[in-house]
Amino acid sequence: DAGVTQSPTHLIKTRGQHVTLRCSPISGHKSVSWYQQVLGQGPQFIFQYYEKEERGRGNFPDRFSARQFPNYSSELNVNALLLGDSALYLCASSLGVNTGELFFGEGSRLTVL
Amino acid sequence: GESVGLHLPTLSVQEGDNSIINCAYSNSASDYFIWYKQESGKGPQFIIDIRSNMDKRQGQRVTVLLNKTVKHLSLQIAATQPGDSAVYFCAENMMGGAQKLVFGQGTRLTINP
């Protein structure tokens, strides 16, 4: 079975631009979460979606937004990119919401110049 | 506030020895703890979890210990193998809320032949 897939794997943007990152969860998983991982640090929670509804939001500015589609795939959007947004963006899926067993994709590496 | 910290950023062990990775947490309200392993270029991989009503839980070659009195968590890996080389993160969450994992900084485990 396919794991969590993310696209693109790498991308380079300039300050002020917009980016859209995509995630396909494991088949049957209805919960999708997004994490930001800055080099040398642990992942930081951005959003969680379950059954197409936002279940949780981390301490990120409104420039960050996300949504989940009827097929449970998800998009993370970041507007007005800053240099500090450079990071690995990880998507994770899980069967339900009452578990810490998240299945992570390999991430989208964003570089903002 | 919410924070998860680790005592040591790096740990080197001999192949075949046991490894112990430690973690301190500060949020008394956290009642669910998880260990993840992240290999270079990959997303985090679930290892084992423990709920606050338990002190110990064992998996395949791994044991997690929870000491709620001193807010301390540890991961023991038996008979360490080269494939265990990775960064290990502890994470905490509160059951019943959003699936919002708070990750620590991580410990890099290096296996010496």
Side-chain angles (χ1 to χ4, degrees), chain A residues 39-60:
Chain A
L39 194 63
Q41 297 183 15
Q44 187 173 359
F45 174 79
I46 310 176
F47 286 109
Q48 185 212 355
Y49 278 79
Y50 180 73
E51 290 280 17
K52 302 181 289 295
E53 291 190 1
E54 183 183 302
R55 291 264 305 186
R57 171 185 285 256
N59 189 24
F60 280 81

Side-chain angles (χ1 to χ4, degrees), chain A residues 1-22:
Chain A
D1 286 341
V4 175
T5 57
Q6 294 186 242
S7 63
T9 55
H10 296 82
L11 68 166
I12 300 174
K13 295 285 189 178
T14 56
R15 283 176 296 176
Q17 285 190 312
H18 162 90
V19 67
T20 297
L21 307 177
R22 296 178 175 83

Side-chain angles (χ1 to χ4, degrees), chain A residues 31 33 35 37 40-43 45 48 55-57 88 90 94 96-102 104-106, chain B residues 32 34 36 38 41-46 49 51 89 93 95-106:
Chain A
S31 177
S33 300
Y35 286 79
Q37 187 174 25
Q41 297 183 15
F45 174 79
Q48 185 212 355
R55 291 264 305 186
R57 171 185 285 256
L88 180 68
L90 294 161
S94 65
V97 296
N98 292 319
T99 176
E101 186 172 2
L102 305 184
F104 283 87
E106 296 194 342
Chain B
Y32 181 43
I34 313 102
Y36 278 86
Q38 187 172 26
K42 296 185 178 181
Q45 179 183 7
F46 173 89
D49 59 0
R51 300 187 190 281
F89 294 98
N93 195 22
M95 295 303 298
Q99 200 177 34
K100 175 183 177 181
L101 302 189
V102 177
F103 284 80
Q105 182 182 0

Side-chain angles (χ1 to χ4, degrees), chain B:
Chain B
E2 288 182 317
S3 67
V4 178
L6 293 173
H7 295 309
L8 293 173
T10 61
L11 178 65
S12 293
V13 299
Q14 291 296 123
E15 183 177 349
D17 286 352
N18 296 334
S19 302
I20 299 176
I21 302 171
N22 295 303
C23 177
Y25 65 94
S26 61
N27 188 352
S28 300
S30 294
D31 55 10
Y32 181 43
F33 304 89
I34 313 102
W35 282 99
Y36 278 86
K37 170 187 180 183
Q38 187 172 26
E39 297 175 272
S40 181
K42 296 185 178 181
Q45 179 183 7
F46 173 89
I47 302 173
I48 192 168
D49 59 0
I50 187 168
R51 300 187 190 281
S52 60
N53 60 352
M54 302 174 68
D55 297 323
K56 178 180 180 179
R57 192 170 186 214
Q58 290 183 294
Q60 187 176 14
R61 281 202 308 120
V62 295
T63 301
V64 56
L65 299 177
L66 175 62
N67 186 330
K68 295 179 288 293
T69 301
V70 295
K71 298 179 187 173
H72 184 266
L73 190 68
S74 68
L75 177 70
Q76 301 178 3
I77 305 173
T80 312
Q81 302 169 358
D84 295 328
S85 292
V87 177
Y88 289 80
F89 294 98
C90 63
E92 63 182 298
N93 195 22
M94 287 182 284
M95 295 303 298
Q99 200 177 34
K100 175 183 177 181
L101 302 189
V102 177
F103 284 80
Q105 182 182 0
T107 292
R108 179 172 297 281
L109 178 63
T110 302
I111 312 304
N112 300 316

